[in-house]
Amino acid sequence: MSSAEAAVVGSAFDIEQGLQRLIARGYQFVHPTDGAGEVQAVVGVRVHDNVVDVVRLNAEDDVEATRLPGSEQNIFAPAATLWRSRGEASQVLGEVLALPERQPAPAAAASANGCWVPGRGGRSKWLAAR
């Protein structure tokens, strides 16, 4: 986390500054409205590294954030989540800003579906299993 992000996450958390940091990270925001044109929420979405991050601000004390697999079909009613938080804006936005940018690499599979074999000139060659 950068020192600027640490200041945002600190005790004097400023919601507007937190939202500006999200925009700087690439979040794009929409403001869904009801039939009368009243804003119902502020929703930020960012797609990166095969994940989707979603932040939904319904009110200052009602914020939900999720990190979803990039393959998720419905970001508003996901079947699977990688991370989720809900609560007051200062708490949830701070947690979102503290998330790692990149997902950890998955553990290597137990079966390799092949092997390296010695080749000509001291070079190895991958021999795929059938």
Side-chain angles (χ1 to χ4, degrees):
M1 178 181 329
S2 72
S3 60
E5 290 167 345
V8 171
V9 177
S11 60
F13 188 90
D14 179 87
I15 296 169
E16 183 177 338
Q17 187 180 11
L19 291 171
Q20 290 172 352
R21 295 294 303 160
L22 292 178
I23 291 168
R25 280 194 176 184
Y27 280 80
Q28 296 199 4
F29 285 86
V30 295
H31 309 89
T33 58
D34 64 11
E38 294 289 321
V39 174
Q40 298 299 298
V42 175
V43 180
V45 178
R46 177 176 79 141
V47 179
H48 64 102
D49 298 318
N50 203 27
V51 297
V52 179
D53 292 332
V54 180
V55 177
R56 181 181 174 103
L57 295 96
N58 299 310
E60 199 169 315
D61 62 349
D62 182 13
V63 178
E64 183 173 4
T66 54
R67 177 167 279 182
L68 315 166
S71 60
E72 188 59 49
Q73 296 295 316
N74 185 344
I75 64 171
F76 296 112
T81 61
L82 302 171
W83 173 86
R84 179 174 282 193
S85 181
R86 186 173 201 144
E88 294 190 19
S90 59
Q91 169 212 332
V92 175
L93 294 180
E95 291 175 7
V96 170
L97 289 168
L99 283 173
E101 282 295 300
R102 298 194 180 276
Q103 284 294 102
S111 65
N113 294 328
C115 62
W116 288 99
V117 294
R120 292 186 181 151
R123 294 184 150 197
S124 295
K125 180 178 180 182
W126 178 257
L127 182 60
R130 290 184 189 225

